[in-house]
């Protein structure tokens, strides 16, 4: 059974159709990339999956449950976590607290129990901190735990955003241009990091990327969209040799 | 070892402060007592505003309305039957309230609870709005409460207000409530819920994407805040013993915002210090509103001159010292020691709020 299923999803902003009849499926533990030129509707698809936008038409289901037009926090509760294209860390929290916030939705104690520091809450708080530290450790960031997020180098901020999303214990992780603004060497390292996540955590990853080269090495399956419509799908080799993809990226050859 | 030292210092400071309050309550005249009480009440106002704006990032201007609810509830619950009869000579009071008289403690709690209820009811629709729109909506709700107070004659005695409210508020009640408010809100902001509130302030979209239920958390901040504002309103009613709807004009909210900004957004102890400084400052400046002569220049008394100075001070803070007195930092013993190494002795007001971490 597929983990995520999008059926004929369409999103219109006034007269502009950002995404048109987009359908796809993601299997458990699959790594799939969504690529396309600027403004082709990649992030819009992510925003519809995570509930930030409501699709104009179509149906999205996760784990057999329909999630179309549900609230973002509820969708996260079902097990979909995401990162953002422009880094959105909480500057008022330190690194480990940013990660701990990802676990907040699993908190059992109510605000009164928490404020009174009852034993149940103290246990939960301790566990959250421990798990947060463990997560940072497994990503090699433990020594940064008490820094402010703005003090981290760019690449580490991106990793922290991923760590924070992982803390929600997702079954599907959506990464929105994780390599944006990175040097080729850094983005290669990031791709190795993403493969490491896939092997360590039991989840699927849906990845948006702008540059085709970055995803070629690690994604067995690539979906290409252009102007809101899917134009190709397949293995990296198939995509590389697909004429429509080349057209979308380089423009139509004009020999006249 | 260090933790216990700081806790001991906090406890010691609290005991010294309680001793100071005891001496003050018995030695100072009513004018000075009123000022110290008002310091406490404004502290609670500023601390609660800090929870909503400084921590949660919701710019709400409803404080005057919540304070009004608390003040009227406490007044009506503590006044004796005869006083009520004397007050309601135009329209008789509703029978249910005519003979009701509760002990002060229960009246304070009831005032807080009703204010929290009203706060939640207002928050429910208003918190869908953001930024300036939230400010306008809450300001409107605050005014609606005031207009209701004017027009619900059988309950509130309308524009005539309530007179002869028993003056139960003393330094122990008022500063006791400050300590409780500080403690509760400080604890709350240190919990996972507090982190979620700060996350909402920093980035609502990211917080929601991480599973934080925005409405629930904002509502919680609003309800807690409104509860303590109601408590402060109750203290105020039983301090000044005469209230009418005009006490709770927008001006009160404006003062609270000003104090909180001066104390530092996100610093609870900063709010307390700023509230004390502000209240004392206003009293010290009272002479400039009466006529005075410098050399052979005669200046006539101008009522409201103090507020002009206050506004200038606020402007200076906003222009040159944007983070206020304390920024987002809290008072802590360690920092105090670093600062005053060798010549340590802070005022009792600052001492009472040692951070317990």
């Amino acid at each position: 059974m597929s983990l995520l299923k999008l059926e004929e999803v369409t999103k219109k902003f006034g007269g502009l159709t950002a995404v048109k009849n987009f359908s796809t499926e993601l299997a458990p533990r699959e790594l799939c990339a969504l690529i396309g030129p600027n403004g082709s509707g990649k992030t819009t698809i992510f925003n519809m999956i995570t509930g930030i936008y409501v699709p104009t038409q179509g149906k999205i289901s996760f784990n057999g449950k329909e999630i179309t037009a549900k609230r973002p926090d509820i969708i996260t509760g079902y097990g979909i976590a995401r990162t953002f294209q422009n880094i959105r860390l909480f500057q008022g929290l330190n690194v480990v607290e940013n990660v701990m916030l990802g676990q907040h939705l699993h908190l059992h104690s109510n605000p009164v129990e928490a404020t009174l520091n009852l034993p149940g809450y103290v246990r939960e708080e301790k566990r959250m901190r421990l798990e947060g530290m463990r997560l940072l450790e497994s990503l090699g960031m433990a020594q940064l735990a008490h820094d402010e997020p703005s003090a981290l180098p760019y690449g580490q901020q991106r990793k922290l955003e991923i760590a924070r999303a992982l803390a929600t214990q997702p079954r599907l992780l959506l990464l929105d241009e994780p390599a944006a603004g990175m040097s080729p060497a850094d983005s290669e390292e990031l791709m190795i990091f993403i493969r490491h996540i896939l092997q360590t955590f039991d989840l699927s990853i849906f990845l948006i990327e702008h540059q085709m080269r970055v995803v070629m090495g690690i994604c067995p399956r690539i979906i290409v969209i252009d102007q809101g419509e899917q134009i190709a799908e397949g293995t990296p080799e198939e995509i590389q040799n697909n004429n429509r993809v080349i057209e979308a990226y380089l423009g139509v050859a004009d020999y006249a | 070892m260090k933790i216990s030292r700081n806790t001991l210092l906090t406890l010691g400071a609290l005991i010294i402060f309680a001793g100071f309050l005891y001496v003050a309550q018995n030695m100072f005249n009513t004018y000075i007592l009123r000022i110290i009480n008002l310091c406490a009440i404004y502290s609670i106002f500023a601390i609660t505003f800090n929870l909503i704006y400084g921590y949660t990032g919701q710019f709400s201007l409803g404080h005057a309305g919540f304070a009004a609810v608390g003040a009227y509830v406490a007044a009506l619950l503590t006044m004796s039957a005869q006083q009520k009869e004397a007050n309601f000579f135009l329209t008789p009071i509703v029978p249910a309230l005519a003979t009701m008289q509760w002990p002060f403690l229960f009246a304070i709690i009831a005032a807080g609870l009703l204010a929290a209820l009203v706060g939640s009811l207002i928050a429910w629709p208003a918190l869908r709005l953001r930024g300036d729109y939230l400010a306008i909506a809450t300001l409107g709700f605050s005014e609606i409460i005031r207009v209701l107070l004017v027009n619900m004659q059988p309950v509130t005695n309308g524009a005539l207000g309530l007179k002869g409210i028993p003056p139960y508020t003393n330094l122990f009640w008022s500063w006791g409530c400050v300590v409780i408010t500080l403690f509760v809100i400080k604890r709350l902001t240190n919990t996972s819920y507090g982190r979620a509130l700060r996350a909402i302030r920093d980035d609502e979209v990211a917080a929601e994407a991480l599973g934080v239920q925005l409405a629930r958390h904002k509502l919680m901040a609003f309800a807690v805040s409104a509860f303590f504002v109601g408590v402060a309103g109750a203290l105020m009613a039983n301090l000044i013993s005469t209230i009418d709807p005009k006490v709770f004009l927008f001006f009160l909210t404006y003062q609270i915002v000003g104090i909180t900004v001066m104390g530092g957004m996100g610093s609870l102890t900063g709010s307390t210090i700023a509230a004390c400084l502000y209240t004392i400052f206003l009293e010290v400046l009272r002479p400039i509103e009466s006529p005075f002569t410098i050399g052979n220049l005669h200046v006539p008394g101008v009522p409201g001159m103090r507020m002009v100075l206050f506004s200038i001070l606020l402007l200076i803070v906003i222009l040159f010292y944007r983070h206020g007195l304390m920024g987002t930092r809290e008072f802590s013993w360690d920092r105090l020691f670093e600062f005053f190494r060798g010549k340590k002795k802070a005022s009792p007001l600052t001492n009472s709020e040692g951070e317990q971490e």
Side-chain angles (χ1 to χ4, degrees), chain A residues 76 88 92 104 109 115 121, chain B residues 187 192-193 195 202 205 209 217:
Chain A
T76 309
R88 290 181 156 212
H104 180 68
S109 307
T115 304
Y121 174 73
Chain B
R187 276 283 338 141
S192 187
Y193 288 96
R195 287 196 292 271
D202 288 348
V205 175
H217 283 80

Side-chain angles (χ1 to χ4, degrees), chain A residues 38-195:
Chain A
N38 270 336
S40 54
K42 305 180 297 281
T43 301
T44 307
I45 291 174
F46 269 26
N47 283 343
M48 284 190 287
I49 297 172
T50 53
I52 293 174
Y53 292 157
V54 176
T56 316
Q57 270 162 43
K59 194 175 143 190
I60 303 169
S61 38
F62 179 69
N63 219 359
K65 225 180 310 181
E66 185 170 348
I67 57 165
T68 326
K70 286 253 188 335
R71 243 175 32 215
D73 55 289
I74 292 174
I75 291 174
T76 309
Y78 288 155
I80 300 181
R82 71 169 293 176
T83 63
F84 294 91
Q85 194 173 345
N86 45 337
I87 301 175
R88 290 181 156 212
L89 294 167
F90 304 120
Q91 301 301 338
L93 305 174
N94 69 24
V95 168
V96 68
E97 284 174 334
N98 262 282
V99 178
M100 286 164 79
L101 196 83
Q103 297 162 286
H104 180 68
L105 79 158
H106 299 299
L107 193 71
H108 294 295
S109 307
N110 63 39
V112 178
E113 291 167 335
T115 304
L116 294 176
N117 224 6
L118 295 185
Y121 174 73
V122 174
R123 254 198 314 278
E124 279 195 297
E125 170 82 16
K126 213 175 264 175
R127 204 203 59 226
M128 282 165 79
R129 194 166 286 273
L130 206 75
E131 275 177 22
M133 286 306 294
R134 195 177 300 156
L135 198 60
L136 285 177
E137 226 162 81
S138 73
L139 305 180
M141 298 176 70
Q143 73 285 1
L144 304 169
H146 299 289
D147 289 359
E148 277 177 29
S150 57
L152 300 188
Y154 186 77
Q156 298 285 10
Q157 292 194 19
R158 286 249 171 240
K159 270 169 96 174
L160 176 57
E161 243 205 353
I162 297 176
R164 191 178 66 176
L166 285 173
T168 64
Q169 298 169 9
R171 307 208 31 215
L172 170 66
L173 183 60
L174 306 176
L175 302 175
D176 194 347
E177 292 204 29
M182 283 188 181
S183 67
D186 282 346
S187 42
E188 201 157 302
E189 193 192 312
L190 186 85
M191 291 303 140
I192 294 168
F193 173 69
I194 288 169
R195 198 180 325 188

